[in-house]
């Protein structure tokens, strides 16, 4: 079974631009979560989607948004990029059937100049 | 409000010895805990998990211990190998989200 895939793997943007990241979950997984990792900050939860509905959201500004499609694929969008948005963005999927394990993709490395 | 804490940012261990990584949590409602291993520029890889109905779970060289009264879990790696050098994150399953600690960088010395 294929793992979680994320595209693109690397991105360079300038301040003020917007960016869209994509995540394809493991087949059969209906829950997709997004995290931001910056040095020394661990993994900060952005949001979680299940059946095209956002069920939970972390403490990030409204510039960060996401959506999920009927095939469970998810996208994350960041508008008006700031230098501090430079990070590794990770997507994880799970079956969301109870006590369960999230499986992560390789991440998208975003650099904002 | 850091609900999951890993107070040791780094740990060095000799090859063949035991590595013990610690994690504390504050929310007694958490009932599922996980450990992930992460190499630079890669996504975290699932290692081992434990539910709150157990106090120990083993998988090969990896054992996770859960002390609910102390709200503490630990990951033991025996014997440690150079390939285990990575950042280790503990996580707790919350409501439709996972809360991660800030990670412990393990370095296994050959």
């Amino acid at each position: 079974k294929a793992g979680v895939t994320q595209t693109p793997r690397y991105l360079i943007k300038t301040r003020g631009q917007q960016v869209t990241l994509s995540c394809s979950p493991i087949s059969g997984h209906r829950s997709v979560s997004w995290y931001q990792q910056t040095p020394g900050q661990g993994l900060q939860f952005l949001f979680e989607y299940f059946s095209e509905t956002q069920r939970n959201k972390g403490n990030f500004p409204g510039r960060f948004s996401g959506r999920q499609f009927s095939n469970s694929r998810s996208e994350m969008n960041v508008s008006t990029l700031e230098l501090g948005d430079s990070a590794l963005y990770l997507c994880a999927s799970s079956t969301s059937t109870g006590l369960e394990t999230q499986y992560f993709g390789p991440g998208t490395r975003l650099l904002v100049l | 409000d850091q609900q999951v804490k890993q107070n040791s940012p780094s740990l060095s261990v000799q090859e063949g010895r035991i590595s013990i990584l610690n994690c504390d949590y504050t929310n007694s409602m958490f009932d599922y805990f996980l450990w992930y291993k992460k190499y630079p520029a890669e996504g975290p890889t699932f290692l081992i998990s434990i539910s709150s109905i157990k106090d120990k779970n083993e998988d090969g060289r990896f054992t996770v211990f859960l002390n609910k009264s102390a709200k503490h879990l630990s990951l033991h790696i025996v014997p440690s190998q150079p390939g285990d050098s990575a950042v280790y994150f503990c996580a707790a399953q919350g409501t439709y989200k996972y809360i991660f600690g800030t990670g412990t960088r393990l370095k296994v010395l050959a």
Side-chain angles (χ1 to χ4, degrees):
Chain A
K1 192 181 267 192
V4 178
T5 58
Q6 291 187 247
T7 56
R9 293 294 311 277
Y10 303 95
L11 263 180
I12 299 176
K13 293 285 187 180
T14 56
R15 280 183 300 171
Q17 287 187 307
Q18 75 164 15
V19 67
T20 298
L21 312 181
S22 181
C23 171
S24 292
I26 291 170
S27 177
H29 285 192
R30 295 171 64 192
S31 169
V32 174
S33 297
W34 288 90
Y35 296 86
Q36 181 197 65
Q37 188 193 13
T38 53
Q41 290 296 314
L43 279 70
Q44 302 293 311
F45 172 75
L46 282 154
F47 26 66
E48 189 263 1
Y49 286 89
F50 179 83
S51 291
E52 303 177 66
T53 300
Q54 185 183 90
R55 296 193 298 187
N56 204 344
K57 188 178 189 304
N59 296 323
F60 279 81
R63 301 185 296 106
F64 292 81
S65 63
R67 59 178 176 168
Q68 187 181 34
F69 302 95
S70 57
N71 61 358
S72 294
R73 191 178 69 85
S74 177
E75 287 183 347
M76 189 191 100
N77 185 76
V78 188
S79 62
T80 320
L81 283 165
E82 300 177 0
L83 295 179
D85 296 333
S86 295
L88 180 66
Y89 289 89
L90 294 158
C91 165
S93 75
S94 67
T95 56
S96 194
T97 55
L99 299 182
E100 62 195 11
T101 299
Q102 282 191 331
Y103 294 91
F104 284 83
T108 295
R109 171 73 62 184
L110 172 65
L111 178 61
V112 182
L113 301 175
Chain B
D1 178 22
Q2 192 70 26
Q3 296 187 68
V4 177
K5 299 177 186 177
Q6 293 177 258
N7 293 317
S8 298
S10 64
L11 174 69
S12 291
V13 172
Q14 285 294 133
E15 181 180 6
R17 297 292 187 103
I18 183 172
S19 294
I20 300 176
L21 296 95
N22 294 304
C23 180
D24 297 295
Y25 61 96
T26 58
N27 190 337
S28 58
M29 298 298 290
F30 290 150
D31 54 10
Y32 191 61
F33 303 88
L34 310 94
W35 284 93
Y36 288 85
K37 172 181 176 180
K38 187 179 183 302
Y39 294 116
E42 293 184 11
T45 302
F46 169 71
L47 272 177
I48 192 169
S49 62
I50 188 167
S51 73
S52 59
I53 61 172
K54 302 174 83 171
D55 53 20
K56 177 182 173 181
N57 189 27
E58 286 182 82
D59 185 1
R61 296 186 298 114
F62 301 92
T63 303
V64 56
F65 295 91
L66 176 62
N67 183 331
K68 291 183 286 293
S69 61
K71 296 192 185 69
H72 177 84
L73 64 155
S74 60
L75 174 68
H76 292 210
I77 306 173
V78 183
S80 301
Q81 300 172 353
D84 295 330
S85 296
V87 177
Y88 289 77
F89 291 96
C90 65
Q93 184 181 12
T95 304
Y96 305 137
K97 71 177 190 179
Y98 291 72
I99 300 105
F100 284 81
T102 51
T104 296
R105 182 176 302 278
L106 173 66
K107 188 171 184 179
V108 180
L109 307 169

